[in-house]
Amino acid sequence: MKIIKNIIALAGLQATNYILPLLLLPYLAKVLGVNGFGIFVVSVSLMQVFFVLTDYGFNLTASRDVAVVADDVDEVAKIFSSVMCLKIIFVGICFLVLILLLCFVDFFGKNARLYLVSYIAVLGNAFFPLWLFQGMEALKAASFIQIFSKTFSFLLVFVFVKSSDDIVLAGFLQGFGGFLSAVLSWFYIPKMLGGGKIKLPGWHYLVIQLKNGWHVFISTAFINLYTSSNAIILGFVSSSTQVAYYHVAEKISRAVQFLFNPVSQAVYPKVSSLAHVNPSGAIEFNRRLIKYGLLCFSILCVFLYGAAPYLVNKFFGSNFLPSVSVLRVMSVLPLLVVVSNVAGILTMLNFGMEKVFSGILMYSCLLNLILFPVLSWRFQALGSAWAVVIVEFFVSGMMLKILKKHGLALFVWKRGVE
């Protein structure tokens, strides 16, 4: 029952993180205009790149470490202190990188105020310890904090952002909800630590956390290069208008994809524990998960393809009709994400295959860096969509092939043949 409660709690959190921004998109697209909306999207995408750099894979590795020692308050406090100390360092480094981009790259510098105020989102993301809530299986509290904070920020956008002149304010409010979540979460942390003392960690503990998170960090960094940063690349090779068309389609597709995230995040600690005590049981669990996940998401993908014209025209208007063909190409992505999530995160990471996982994503990133700029330049937003789909097919296919080679196949056919 506890895992069901965690799934429900994470579903609420994911709805807040992805559904609210999706609901906000039509309004921002209308008041900022197609070009202004494209500029806003590039800013959000850059902040998401910083999210990955400051997360450093801790949402997976640190939550796993906390889950293992959850009954030892001193060990949990050491992990917390080490991770937060590293996050402070990473936030400072990312801010320095932002300043350098604004000073030396005109593409970013001409909208410097927007990027500076948008950095509040990075602060909120870095200092909200979702990994701690996950490891301690206290997701109900985490969900409540984020739902309250981000709903409040969501409403403020409608009150204060009225025209394209308010783009800087829109950037600030986009990240304010996450920042407020981080502030409120720190009132709950002492209870989470159960008396464990927060103190400056020694270098030894920092190095341990850096080593634990390295392969996941590399993996998520590569993932980010062919997801969030794609809008930035498209902006370089095309225009802000094409970024707007691409982003609308991507966000609708991602909203469907992220429906699987609460399930994946909630079962991650269970699969981690099971992989240590009953490896075959963990594989069987993942086989059932991918089977039912694909069944459910096949229905959603068909709906997404068929309803694309209605969804785009209804919520964004005729100015965004070029997004329809882009969305139809991307309608297959939710299925591919289910496969890569179960195969990569829930299986490879829990069975000590971090290097293989990182390697697959590294080659996928290289493939994306070749395909995405070329197809985006030649076919603009539609080419961008095809590049993303091709790369995701490559990721899913390679993961399944390698797992089968290692005797960890997630699809078992008749007569037990894998």
Side-chain angles (χ1 to χ4, degrees):
M1 286 300 295
K2 192 170 186 178
I3 195 171
I4 299 299
K5 291 180 180 179
N6 285 338
I7 290 175
I8 293 172
L10 275 170
L13 192 152
Q14 293 294 340
T16 304
N17 286 339
Y18 301 110
I19 302 301
L20 285 184
L22 183 63
L23 294 175
L24 198 60
L25 283 183
Y27 179 76
L28 289 176
K30 178 181 178 181
V31 299
L32 298 180
V34 176
N35 184 63
F37 183 66
I39 294 171
F40 174 81
V41 167
V42 173
S43 173
V44 172
S45 298
L46 182 59
M47 297 309 118
Q48 289 174 340
V49 172
F50 290 144
F51 285 1
V52 174
L53 298 178
T54 54
D55 279 343
Y56 192 77
F58 293 136
N59 282 344
L60 292 175
T61 59
S63 64
R64 179 186 61 198
D65 293 344
V66 169
V68 172
V69 299
D71 295 329
D72 189 334
V73 295
D74 291 328
E75 283 300 314
V76 173
K78 286 178 182 178
I79 295 171
F80 178 80
S81 300
S82 301
V83 171
M84 295 314 300
C85 184
L86 289 170
K87 279 181 172 281
I88 291 171
I89 295 171
F90 294 154
V91 165
I93 293 173
C94 287
F95 188 71
L96 178 60
V97 170
L98 176 62
I99 295 300
L100 292 175
L101 288 174
L102 298 181
C103 290
F104 297 106
V105 182
D106 185 61
F107 178 79
F108 298 109
K110 59 187 178 183
N111 294 294
R113 290 178 58 207
L114 172 62
Y115 290 105
L116 287 172
V117 301
S118 296
Y119 198 75
I120 192 174
V122 180
L123 299 178
N125 183 76
F127 297 127
F128 182 78
L130 177 61
W131 55 271
L132 179 63
F133 287 97
Q134 282 182 272
M136 299 298 290
E137 295 192 72
L139 291 168
K140 183 178 179 181
S143 296
F144 176 78
I145 291 170
Q146 288 217 338
I147 289 171
F148 168 77
S149 301
K150 295 192 174 182
T151 300
F152 179 65
S153 176
F154 171 79
L155 296 174
L156 289 179
V157 172
F158 288 99
V159 174
F160 294 106
V161 178
K162 298 296 184 181
S163 71
S164 58
D165 294 332
D166 298 323
I167 188 172
V168 173
L169 182 57
F172 174 80
L173 292 177
Q174 177 79 6
F176 176 71
F179 180 76
L180 181 59
S181 296
V183 172
L184 294 177
S185 71
W186 280 71
F187 289 99
Y188 197 84
I189 286 173
K191 180 180 178 181
M192 296 275 291
L193 297 181
K197 293 183 179 179
I198 301 175
K199 56 183 179 181
L200 191 66
W203 283 106
H204 172 67
Y205 292 105
L206 296 182
V207 171
I208 289 175
Q209 290 302 324
L210 285 173
K211 287 182 177 179
N212 288 346
W214 173 249
H215 289 295
V216 177
F217 165 65
I218 293 298
S219 303
T220 52
F222 286 134
I223 291 173
N224 193 75
L225 282 175
Y226 65 82
T227 53
S228 301
S229 62
N230 280 342
I232 302 173
I233 297 173
L234 179 57
F236 267 107
V237 301
S238 185
S239 66
S240 297
T241 299
Q242 290 299 315
V243 172
Y245 295 150
Y246 172 79
H247 187 72
V248 164
E250 183 193 41
K251 274 298 182 181
I252 296 174
S253 174
R254 295 286 177 193
V256 176
Q257 295 171 42
F258 287 134
L259 292 175
F260 189 71
N261 276 21
V263 178
S264 175
Q265 291 180 355
V267 303
Y268 185 81
K270 174 182 174 65
V271 178
S272 297
S273 300
L274 202 57
H276 284 87
V277 299
N278 184 12
S280 61
I283 290 297
E284 185 57 35
F285 181 89
N286 285 349
R287 285 171 179 164
R288 292 197 302 269
L289 183 62
I290 200 170
K291 174 183 176 181
Y292 292 113
L294 289 176
L295 178 62
C296 294
F297 277 78
S298 294
I299 298 170
L300 292 173
C301 289
V302 171
F303 168 79
L304 196 59
Y305 183 92
Y310 173 80
L311 292 172
V312 171
N313 190 50
K314 176 68 175 179
F315 295 106
F316 296 93
S318 57
N319 288 337
F320 284 87
L321 284 179
S323 295
V324 172
S325 56
V326 181
L327 177 56
R328 282 183 158 167
V329 171
M330 301 180 82
S331 64
V332 72
L333 287 177
L335 281 178
L336 299 175
V337 168
V338 170
V339 174
S340 61
N341 194 301
V342 177
I345 294 175
L346 293 179
T347 306
M348 286 186 166
L349 293 186
N350 282 320
F351 281 83
M353 300 175 68
E354 290 91 347
K355 290 185 179 180
V356 177
F357 183 67
S358 300
I360 291 173
L361 295 180
M362 179 185 70
Y363 287 116
S364 301
C365 176
L366 294 175
L367 177 61
N368 184 77
L369 289 176
I370 295 170
L371 287 179
F372 195 91
V374 174
L375 293 180
S376 298
W377 174 76
R378 180 65 180 85
F379 301 105
Q380 302 193 38
L382 189 61
S384 300
W386 276 112
V388 170
V389 169
I390 292 170
V391 171
E392 289 292 349
F393 262 112
F394 176 80
V395 172
S396 299
M398 287 299 297
M399 286 180 175
L400 292 176
K401 181 178 179 180
I402 291 175
L403 285 175
K404 182 178 180 180
K405 182 178 179 181
H406 284 78
L408 301 172
L410 293 178
F411 292 98
V412 179
W413 313 113
K414 293 181 179 179
R415 300 179 183 176
V417 178
E418 297 185 358

